[in-house]
Amino acid sequence: MKSLRGALVLIATVAAAIALIAGLWIGPLISVAAFIALFVSCQCGFSLLRTDPMDANSSVVWQDRAIVIAMLSFGTVFGSYVLLHQLGIFESADSPEPGFAFYSLVVSIWALGWLLVEWLADIDSRRGFVRRILGVVIPVLFGAGLLMLWEVLTRALDVPQVLLPSPSAIAERFGNSLSVLWADFKQTFLKAVLIGYAMGCGSGFLIAILIDRSPFLQRGLLPVGNLVSALPIVGIAPIMVMWFGFDWPSKAAVVVVMTFFPMLVNTISGLAASDHMQLDLMKTYAANYWQNLFKLRLPQAAPFIFNALKINSTLALIGAIVAEFFGTPIVGMGFRISTEVGRMNVDMVWAEIAVAAVAGSCFYGLIALIERMLTFWHPSVRSGR
Amino acid sequence: MTAESEQKSDQVISIENLSLTFQTSDAPVHALADIDLQVEQGAFVSLIGPSGCGKTTLLRVIADLETPTSGAISVNGVTPHEARLQRAYGYVFQAASLYPWRNIAKNVALPLEIMSLPKAERERRIKANLELVDLAGFEKKYPWQLSGGMQQRASIARALAVEPALLLMDEPFGALDEIVRDHLNEQLLQLWAKTSKTVVFVTHSIPEAVFLSTHIVVMSPRPGRIHEIIVNDLPAERTLDVRETPEFLQIANRVRAGLRASHSYDDIT
């Protein structure tokens, strides 16, 4: 890893030096930022040369690390501020185009940001709360860096909005259309997705238990389930609109069709996951079918069932959004995406995508959290504790 | 332990002329052939023999986990099926088979919940049996937080919590190291002396069989049959030191000779 860091330090240093020299003709702010970037990257380089990997935990190394991380944080934050400030200047009338100095500074700040994440990821704390904070801070920093780069490049290079709007434009559109986004969210997520998800997962689960009990159903229903899973969503969505009307019930029906099969198959394999010895044990206790189901087979199936719940949480959202492309009232995330694309309002499409991404991640995260609580005993969860 | 005493009321297990054949795709496997066995109340019977001699199958027939093809068997005077529904026995498997989502106390409580005992009685039996196997204080631990020996002890406590008069044990210490095994053997013997239970114990260790049993049933493979029943007349009070005495070694030699005579000794070395 040291060679990667060395390369990053080299990139940051060279780019900062170029920015410093070229920036002298542009303005004091770029020069100051470039000077700080140069200073910080040189310090990182010295730290790399000083550090002996053999005594990675001595207090000197810790102190050294803390100083480097503090300097990197300052350098990246200040540099980012200067870059955004410069963008504002470039965009005002009769101003110079962003030049060599600007792009060099972008490269330098990007390298410094990467170095900051590298240094943070290196902290190997035994204390739980430090580790948890780092677990949040590192991905947030990484995401912020990505957004920053996206913002700077789209604005500096004047990328047409139809191709890729800048994050700030999307955020602005987001802030201005909160009521529309909320109505779409309510229509698509709170109605179609959640209701369809509950019905699809619930029916998949119950039918899996029936199939498990009856060999006749196993032969008859399982192939039908297989068939349903192979149906293309663009084929069933219009049919569901014919059957259940334009409003959310037809979308919920598409979600039911999409989520039913993963739940069915996973529950069936989960119910088969109990080993012979466990089943014999229940037999020696003369346990009846329901005791066997609730005290052994369902707990044993829980990891499989949660797997299906997680897969379905993302499938349901995709299903509901795509289904809205085939006939819908004038509200809904899928409807909004299809119409705003037609009107070239790509920033609104991106705002809907952001809503979908946040809602989908939260949905998935919530289920994963419940899974961790309920299947704490499973080796995959246990090792993480 | 003789066939003609079947009518006596203190026979816990009575098996006559019992055979079991598994139908497989190529040829039928004669797992058990012509088994005659009587087990008296309070006896400690070991079934010993090489792998594939049917000792585990015989235990599973007694527990109604396998159905014999022919012959007669009664457990507590009724069929094994009825005995199982009456919860007449406790069964200890080769592995502890504790449920990882239940802590130790809850694992012991499992059969008690299935029997729908009242909560106070469950608590009493959990406490008493965990103390019996030296696991008091581990109630809230999960199985994966305990060593293999402790897990197996918890599974014995779970079998004992049913308070059966008959204990069926299928190589319960087979997967444990010798030191833990010695310790558990001693504890099991004390437990048996204290509770006057009837025990049927499957093993392939000669010292274990001689140390624990009142009767040693030597079995031979292909087809699985009883070769010889050796009555162990060592004093009932035994400590691990008894294994150094000439009497112990003499009985061990008889068992070994029995295993060799049944043409199966080569298989277990």
Side-chain angles (χ1 to χ4, degrees):
Chain A
M1 288 323 282
K2 220 167 168 177
S3 56
L4 171 69
R5 267 175 229 191
L8 282 171
V9 165
L10 205 65
I11 293 170
T13 316
V14 171
I18 295 170
L20 181 60
I21 296 162
L24 290 174
W25 284 272
I26 297 190
L29 210 49
I30 279 198
S31 306
V32 172
F35 179 75
I36 290 173
L38 186 62
F39 179 76
V40 170
S41 52
C42 287
Q43 290 300 320
C44 286
F46 292 148
S47 165
L48 273 184
L49 292 177
R50 267 202 307 274
T51 310
D52 181 0
M54 293 308 286
D55 55 11
N57 271 318
S58 70
S59 61
V60 181
V61 175
W62 275 107
Q63 236 173 28
D64 195 53
R65 257 187 215 172
I67 293 169
V68 169
I69 287 172
M71 285 195 305
L72 277 171
S73 313
F74 178 73
T76 7
V77 170
F78 185 73
S80 305
Y81 166 74
V82 169
L83 288 175
L84 289 177
H85 183 82
Q86 280 296 322
L87 278 176
I89 296 173
F90 292 141
E91 274 159 17
S92 61
D94 60 80
S95 64
E97 288 292 300
F100 205 51
F102 181 80
Y103 290 119
S104 303
L105 191 59
V106 169
V107 170
S108 177
I109 299 299
W110 162 77
L112 287 185
W114 190 339
L115 280 170
L116 176 59
V117 174
E118 282 276 340
W119 244 273
L120 282 175
D122 223 25
I123 299 177
D124 182 22
S125 179
R126 259 150 279 143
R127 270 175 298 178
F129 86 98
V130 174
R131 206 181 290 182
R132 228 166 302 152
I133 288 171
L134 280 177
V136 176
V137 165
I138 292 174
V140 164
L141 270 181
F142 193 85
L146 223 55
L147 282 179
M148 176 71 202
L149 209 60
W150 177 358
E151 175 81 22
V152 167
L153 290 183
T154 44
R155 281 170 66 184
L157 297 173
D158 253 335
V159 177
Q161 225 205 15
V162 187
L163 288 186
L164 188 64
S166 66
S168 58
I170 296 169
E172 200 186 336
R173 173 53 77 115
F174 196 102
N176 290 339
S177 346
L178 278 180
S179 61
V180 175
L181 289 170
W182 171 245
D184 291 348
F185 176 76
K186 230 167 43 181
Q187 169 78 8
T188 305
F189 194 84
L190 296 185
K191 288 178 185 165
V193 170
L194 285 189
I195 292 171
Y197 179 81
M199 285 169 62
C201 291
S203 57
F205 177 76
L206 290 178
I207 287 174
I209 286 175
L210 284 180
I211 284 182
D212 172 74
R213 237 200 142 165
S214 134
F216 161 71
L217 287 178
Q218 198 154 10
R219 297 219 188 102
L221 256 181
L222 207 52
V224 175
N226 254 310
L227 193 80
V228 168
S229 77
L231 296 178
I233 180 174
V234 290
I236 43 173
I239 295 171
M240 292 300 150
V241 170
M242 306 279 191
W243 288 0
F244 299 106
F246 278 102
D247 211 348
W248 63 267
S250 59
K251 283 72 199 170
V254 171
V255 174
V256 168
V257 171
M258 285 190 80
T259 55
F260 172 78
F261 189 71
M263 191 47 142
L264 180 80
V265 172
N266 272 287
T267 308
I268 287 175
S269 9
L271 288 174
S274 302
D275 63 42
H276 286 296
M277 207 180 279
Q278 291 174 320
L279 291 167
D280 281 346
L281 185 70
M282 293 307 260
K283 212 177 160 192
T284 68
Y285 299 148
N288 63 32
Y289 171 80
W290 296 106
Q291 288 171 328
N292 204 6
L293 186 69
F294 282 111
K295 293 197 187 296
L296 167 62
R297 302 181 66 209
L298 282 182
Q300 190 77 344
F304 291 80
I305 293 168
F306 272 108
N307 221 1
L309 286 173
K310 286 194 288 190
I311 295 169
N312 280 347
S313 71
T314 48
L315 273 185
L317 195 58
I318 297 170
I321 290 175
V322 174
E324 282 180 1
F325 279 57
F326 302 91
T328 165
I330 52 160
V331 63
M333 294 161 75
F335 163 80
R336 195 75 55 206
I337 289 173
S338 61
T339 48
E340 297 296 330
V341 160
R343 293 159 66 187
M344 294 288 198
N345 282 334
V346 184
D347 48 354
M348 189 60 185
V349 175
W350 279 94
E352 291 283 359
I353 289 174
V355 172
V358 171
S361 312
C362 289
F363 194 18
Y364 184 94
L366 185 71
I367 290 161
L369 205 67
I370 297 171
E371 179 188 28
R372 282 184 75 88
M373 280 178 346
L374 289 184
T375 62
F376 63 91
W377 51 270
H378 196 258
S380 64
V381 179
R382 214 154 80 197
S383 55
R385 299 218 312 172
Chain B
M1 296 297 294
T2 47
E4 62 264 33
S5 58
E6 61 182 80
Q7 294 305 322
K8 275 167 68 181
S9 60
D10 60 353
Q11 299 295 357
V12 176
I13 300 169
S14 166
I15 300 173
E16 269 177 68
N17 204 17
L18 180 134
S19 299
L20 192 154
T21 307
F22 289 117
Q23 295 298 340
T24 58
S25 52
D26 43 354
V29 175
H30 301 286
L32 295 172
D34 307 323
I35 302 285
D36 286 292
L37 183 67
Q38 308 291 322
V39 177
E40 288 166 20
Q41 210 278 314
F44 197 122
V45 178
S46 284
L47 309 178
I48 190 167
S51 315
C53 72
K55 51 194 194 300
T56 294
T57 310
L58 182 55
L59 197 71
R60 288 173 63 84
V61 167
I62 297 170
D64 187 37
L65 296 174
E66 305 285 355
T67 314
T69 329
S70 66
I73 172 168
S74 74
V75 177
N76 282 347
V78 294
T79 65
H81 183 69
E82 285 166 314
R84 177 168 70 81
L85 295 185
Q86 289 166 6
R87 289 146 181 149
Y89 64 82
Y91 199 109
V92 180
F93 290 87
Q94 278 170 337
S97 195
L98 299 167
Y99 293 176
W101 54 86
R102 286 173 169 252
N103 63 28
I104 295 302
K106 286 275 183 193
N107 263 292
V108 177
L110 175 70
L112 310 178
E113 287 171 16
I114 290 171
M115 294 159 75
S116 24
L117 291 179
K119 192 168 193 293
E121 174 66 8
R122 290 206 307 253
E123 306 268 302
R124 186 191 69 75
R125 290 198 189 181
I126 292 166
K127 191 169 183 299
N129 286 293
L130 282 179
E131 271 168 16
L132 206 60
V133 297
D134 246 353
L135 278 179
F138 290 93
E139 288 86 354
K140 295 276 174 280
K141 291 277 185 218
Y142 283 88
W144 27 274
Q145 295 168 324
L146 301 187
S147 68
M150 289 165 106
Q151 289 183 22
Q152 196 55 284
R153 261 159 39 205
S155 89
I156 292 170
R158 184 179 56 184
L160 292 173
V162 182
E163 295 189 351
L166 173 61
L167 203 53
L168 305 175
M169 305 180 91
D170 181 9
E171 293 187 39
F173 311 135
L176 305 177
D177 65 67
E178 193 131 358
I179 298 160
V180 176
R181 191 177 184 145
D182 280 352
H183 180 61
L184 290 182
N185 276 340
E186 216 170 9
Q187 280 186 318
L188 179 61
L189 204 59
Q190 284 166 9
L191 187 84
W192 172 71
K194 242 190 298 193
T195 55
S196 72
K197 289 185 191 306
T198 311
V199 182
V200 183
F201 189 93
V202 169
T203 181
H204 52 219
S205 155
I206 297 172
E208 190 172 67
V210 179
F211 177 66
L212 291 171
S213 329
T214 59
H215 301 78
I216 302 163
V217 178
V218 179
M219 297 184 69
S220 63
R222 288 180 296 275
R225 56 172 79 236
I226 292 177
H227 175 74
E228 188 183 3
I229 298 176
I230 296 168
V231 178
N232 185 349
D233 46 13
L234 289 175
E237 297 273 311
R238 297 169 202 172
T239 56
L240 288 170
D241 304 333
V242 84
R243 297 184 301 187
E244 315 297 331
T245 62
E247 294 82 4
F248 182 95
L249 295 174
Q250 195 195 340
I251 295 170
N253 278 332
R254 277 181 64 196
V255 176
R256 189 168 284 119
L259 287 169
R260 188 178 290 132
S262 66
H263 303 290
S264 54
Y265 196 67
D266 291 342
D267 291 354
I268 53 169
T269 48

